[in-house]
Amino acid sequence: MKLAVVGGGSTYTPELIDGFARMRDTLPIEELVLIDPAADRLELVGGLARRIFARQDHPGKIVTTSDVDAGVDGADAVLLQLRVGGQAAREQDETWPLECGCVGQETTGAGGLAKALRTVPVVLDIAERVRRTNPGAWIIDFTNPVGIVTRALLQAGHRAVGLCNVAIGFQRKFAGLLGVAPADVHLDHVGLNHLTWETAVRLGGPEGENVLPRLLAEHGDAVAADLRMPRELIDRLGVVPSYYLRYYYGHDEVVRELRTKPSRAAEVAQMEKRLLEMYGDPQLDEKPELLAERGGAFYSEAAVDLAASLLSGAGSPYQVVNTYNNGTLPFLPDDAVIEVQAAVGTQGATPLAVAELDPLYAGLTANVTAYEDLALEAALRGGRDRVFKALLSHPLVGQYEYAQQLTEQLIAHNREHLAWA
């Protein structure tokens, strides 16, 4: 089995490599290709990756290359984890929206739109290269904004599934609080990428007992603290929102915080510098503890599980993924991309049935889906007016004066990445 990772020079990659090494019986890799245009980073990450495989006696071969066509040739699956513009672009995404009093964040709001506009054309170009060399390959997208990027891939006819680590993070957290194995925890996870709610926590599978009320009664303080939301709000909702919902439920509070501290991009840039120094140590043959602070917790387990299910059916039968709605949420178009539990196998992902969604959540989901429609249109076709309409539709912007200012700022800060600008 051959896998390729586009963005293989990312400091995330050793987390992924560690998962491949530990779970080699689930996903037996003969060749792993790390692809990245940044040759210096790729050399450091590739060296550590080989040492991790060697330490854990993994027999697979690790190849590094900057040539996308050669790297994906013959791959059974291609994982996308790229960041167009690097941390410098992320720094901009997280700062200029604050000038209008809007959240600055790399996956939602104005910053998320900027990332989508930079990313979608690049991802589609890579996907076409994969299709030319191996049309049967699966594309697993971990590149943000996952919902919009996955929808672009699916609409272009690619065999693609989107992946996020929010659900697996909740699964692991809840399992620890309940004192059970993670595999015994099944989440009724529903919404869009980075806009989801856990409406039930079931033991044993999709039909298992819902222990969410007990979880909140006994561990509500811990859950609320992780989300950085008031315990009272969690109790009133009776569900567990993704921590990304704080940008919506506590928008002005978040803006005040962001204006008084360094951006997350600045923190990550410093962390990446330290990580790359560590990766260059020829004695290091395991992922360093610092990597846990980088983000992407449990990404490797989720990626291995999904790839194993798509390629051989050896992964978990039910997984949270991003895929076409196809009637699952009846208030959304069939071609909307939703994030829900799905039955995953060699034919792809089929969403499980979802209970009727409370209007409190359905309304916001429909609103953000409409924004994603407009965002994808802007990413595919460009144009100042399309950018403006996408921003005006987003609930974190929503005012024409802000939308106009943010449109001009977005284009000014991203002109080198926007062919139409």
Side-chain angles (χ1 to χ4, degrees):
M1 182 182 295
K2 176 179 177 179
L3 265 66
V5 180
V6 180
S10 168
T11 53
Y12 268 137
T13 299
E15 164 71 25
L16 188 61
I17 300 299
D18 178 72
F20 287 155
R22 287 185 292 103
M23 303 172 72
R24 58 182 174 272
D25 291 339
T26 302
L27 188 67
I29 299 171
E30 296 168 296
E31 182 178 356
L32 176 65
V33 184
L34 305 180
I35 306 166
D36 204 292
D40 52 344
R41 292 170 61 108
L42 189 59
E43 180 180 0
L44 294 173
V45 173
L48 176 56
R50 293 186 185 98
R51 295 193 297 273
I52 292 173
F53 264 29
R55 176 190 174 112
Q56 301 196 37
D57 296 320
H58 194 295
K61 178 176 68 172
I62 295 179
V63 177
T64 58
T65 182
S66 59
D67 186 333
V68 174
D69 292 320
V72 303
D73 187 21
D76 297 288
V78 178
L79 280 69
L80 303 180
Q81 57 170 30
L82 58 145
R83 182 184 294 279
V84 180
Q87 292 298 330
R90 177 180 180 175
E91 168 81 17
Q92 294 178 355
D93 295 343
E94 293 178 345
T95 52
W96 53 263
L98 294 173
E99 297 174 20
C100 292
C102 296
V103 159
Q105 210 278 331
E106 64 158 342
T107 66
T108 192
L113 176 60
K115 193 170 196 299
L117 297 184
R118 293 193 303 268
T119 304
V120 166
V122 174
V123 165
L124 289 178
D125 176 68
I126 293 168
E128 285 301 324
R129 293 166 183 259
V130 174
R131 179 149 54 191
R132 286 198 299 269
T133 61
N134 187 9
W138 281 102
I139 296 177
I140 297 174
D141 178 61
F142 195 67
T143 296
N144 283 317
V146 168
I148 295 172
V149 172
T150 301
R151 186 168 181 180
L153 288 165
L154 290 172
Q155 286 188 350
H158 299 288
R159 302 182 81 203
V161 180
L163 180 65
C164 180
N165 70 322
V166 167
I168 194 172
F170 275 134
Q171 182 199 43
R172 298 301 199 267
K173 176 69 175 180
F174 296 162
L177 293 174
L178 294 167
V180 301
D184 291 333
V185 176
H186 179 96
L187 302 177
D188 285 11
H189 176 103
V190 61
L192 311 176
N193 179 243
H194 291 186
L195 193 87
T196 52
W197 298 265
E198 312 307 324
T199 58
V201 177
R202 303 184 184 277
L203 296 183
E207 305 302 324
E209 175 193 3
N210 178 20
V211 296
L212 179 57
R214 172 161 67 88
L215 178 72
L216 293 180
E218 296 177 0
H219 304 286
D221 287 343
V223 172
D226 277 354
L227 299 174
R228 300 185 64 199
M229 296 183 196
R231 166 73 186 270
E232 179 187 9
L233 173 62
I234 308 303
D235 288 339
R236 294 180 75 174
L237 294 177
V239 304
V240 179
S242 158
Y243 43 83
Y244 287 95
L245 266 298
R246 186 167 181 257
Y247 297 121
Y248 297 80
Y249 295 161
H251 178 274
D252 292 354
E253 176 187 11
V254 173
V255 168
R256 288 193 293 271
E257 288 179 7
L258 294 175
R259 283 173 162 171
T260 59
K261 65 179 186 179
S263 68
R264 175 61 177 165
E267 294 175 357
V268 169
Q270 288 300 312
M271 200 179 304
E272 287 197 331
K273 182 179 179 181
R274 291 163 58 199
L275 283 170
L276 289 170
E277 291 172 354
M278 292 178 179
Y279 295 172
D281 180 356
Q283 302 303 312
L284 183 67
D285 58 3
E286 60 183 343
K287 64 177 183 179
E289 291 184 8
L290 178 62
L291 187 55
E293 300 176 27
R294 172 66 179 81
F298 309 113
Y299 162 40
S300 60
E301 284 91 338
V304 169
D305 208 13
L306 179 54
S309 291
L310 293 172
L311 295 176
S312 69
S316 303
Y318 305 116
Q319 298 172 45
V320 173
V321 298
N322 286 260
T323 191
Y324 270 150
N325 177 45
N326 283 337
T328 308
L329 299 178
F331 57 88
L332 296 183
D334 284 347
D335 65 351
V337 166
I338 60 174
E339 186 172 291
V340 292
Q341 285 278 5
V344 184
T346 56
Q347 299 305 307
T350 303
L352 302 184
V354 172
E356 183 177 356
L357 203 56
D358 187 293
L360 179 61
Y361 316 123
L364 184 55
T365 300
N367 187 340
V368 176
T369 297
Y371 152 75
E372 291 190 348
D373 289 346
L374 294 167
L376 182 54
E377 183 75 2
L380 294 173
R381 301 179 62 190
R384 185 175 263 95
D385 285 347
R386 293 188 181 93
V387 174
F388 171 79
K389 289 176 181 177
L391 287 167
L392 187 62
S393 73
H394 201 293
L396 297 184
V397 180
Q399 298 185 52
Y400 71 87
E401 189 173 328
Y402 291 166
Q404 184 57 48
Q405 292 177 39
L406 291 168
T407 296
E408 299 308 318
Q409 294 234 40
L410 185 155
I411 294 172
H413 284 286
N414 291 275
R415 195 175 300 278
E416 66 180 295
H417 300 292
L418 306 177
W420 53 267

